[in-house]
Amino acid sequence: MTALQSIIKEAKIIRKKYPNKEWKDCVAQASAIYASKHKGKSPVGKKKAVKKVAKKKVAKKVVKKKVAKKKVAKKVVKKKVAKKKVSGIKRKPSEKDVLKSINKVAKVQKEHMSIGKIKKDMFSKFMQNDKMIDVYNMEIIMLEKKLPKLDKNQKLLAKQAINKFKRIVSELKTHGKELKKHI
C-alpha cells in the first residue's frame, strides 16, 4: 500500500468518527498520523524534484508547421465567436429554445402544485383521523357511564367493547403521528 493510499484510508476512518469534519481536515490529521508512524516523513504536500532532460533539436520545418496550425486554429475560433455575437450583442434564442424553457417551467410548476395537493390530502386524512378518535372516545365515555346500571353479561360485553375501542383509539393516534410527518 502506498503512502497516499494509507493516508486516504486513515482519513476515511476519521471521517466516519467525525462526519461533520471537513475532508481537508481529515486528510491533514491522517497525514500527521502517517508522519508520526514513519519517523516524520509524510509525502503529502511535498513537491518532488523534477529531473532535467536534455532537449532534442527539432527540425525547423516541423516548428513552422506547428506555428501555421496554431494560426489556422485561432482564425476558426474567431469565426465561431463572431457567429455567436453580432456587434457585441448576444444572439436571440431560437423558438425551440424558448419553447423548451417554457415547457420546463410548466413542468416544474405542475410538480410543485401536485406536492401541495398531496399535502392537502394528508391534512384532510389527519383531520378525519382526529374526528374518528373523538367519536371512539365519546363511545368509551358513554359505555363507562352505563356500566353500573347493566347486569353481569351486559357488563362483560360492555367492558370488552371499551377495551376494543381503546385499542382502536391508540392505533388511530399512532396513525395520526405518521400522517403528521408527511404534512
Side-chain angles (χ1 to χ4, degrees):
M1 183 180 280
T2 66
L4 187 59
Q5 288 173 334
S6 61
I7 290 171
I8 290 173
K9 184 179 177 184
E10 187 69 32
K12 286 179 181 177
I13 293 169
I14 293 169
R15 185 69 181 259
K16 271 189 177 179
K17 287 182 184 177
Y18 307 101
N20 294 333
K21 200 171 199 179
E22 285 190 37
W23 176 249
K24 230 174 22 177
D25 298 334
C26 294
V27 171
Q29 188 176 350
S31 177
I33 291 170
Y34 181 86
S36 68
K37 287 181 183 176
H38 294 85
K39 300 177 186 173
K41 296 178 183 178
S42 177
V44 177
K46 294 183 182 176
K47 294 182 180 178
K48 295 181 181 178
V50 178
K51 294 179 183 177
K52 293 183 180 179
V53 180
K55 294 182 180 178
K56 295 180 182 179
K57 294 183 179 179
V58 181
K60 291 182 180 179
K61 290 179 184 178
V62 175
V63 173
K64 287 181 181 177
K65 285 183 182 177
K66 287 182 181 178
V67 170
K69 284 182 183 178
K70 285 183 182 178
K71 287 181 180 177
V72 170
K74 285 182 182 178
K75 287 180 182 177
V76 170
V77 170
K78 286 181 180 178
K79 285 181 182 178
K80 286 182 180 178
V81 171
K83 283 182 182 178
K84 286 185 179 177
K85 292 183 180 180
V86 180
S87 68
I89 301 171
K90 290 184 180 178
R91 280 186 350 177
K92 290 183 179 178
S94 66
E95 286 183 43
K96 275 187 176 179
D97 293 336
V98 172
L99 286 173
K100 282 181 184 177
S101 65
I102 290 172
N103 287 338
K104 189 175 182 180
V105 168
K107 184 179 177 184
V108 169
Q109 193 174 19
K110 281 181 185 176
E111 287 175 4
H112 177 70
M113 297 300 282
S114 66
I115 289 172
K117 186 179 179 184
I118 290 170
K119 285 189 175 185
K120 285 179 184 177
D121 290 343
M122 289 295 177
F123 184 73
S124 66
K125 286 181 182 178
F126 179 73
M127 293 308 290
Q128 287 175 347
N129 194 40
D130 271 358
K131 287 178 186 176
M132 291 302 295
I133 290 173
D134 291 339
V135 167
Y136 280 112
N137 279 333
M138 289 302 292
E139 286 290 325
I140 292 171
I141 291 170
M142 289 176 59
L143 283 173
E144 286 175 344
K145 284 182 182 178
K146 291 181 183 178
L147 204 59
K149 299 175 185 173
L150 301 173
D151 63 341
K152 272 189 175 181
N153 291 334
Q154 290 177 338
K155 276 186 182 181
L156 183 63
L157 291 173
K159 285 181 181 178
Q160 287 176 349
I162 288 171
N163 288 335
K164 183 179 179 183
F165 290 152
K166 284 183 180 179
R167 275 186 265 132
I168 291 172
V169 167
S170 68
E171 286 193 27
L172 284 173
K173 284 182 181 178
T174 13
H175 185 66
K177 287 177 188 175
E178 293 299 317
L179 283 173
K180 204 170 191 178
K181 288 179 185 177
H182 297 288
I183 293 177

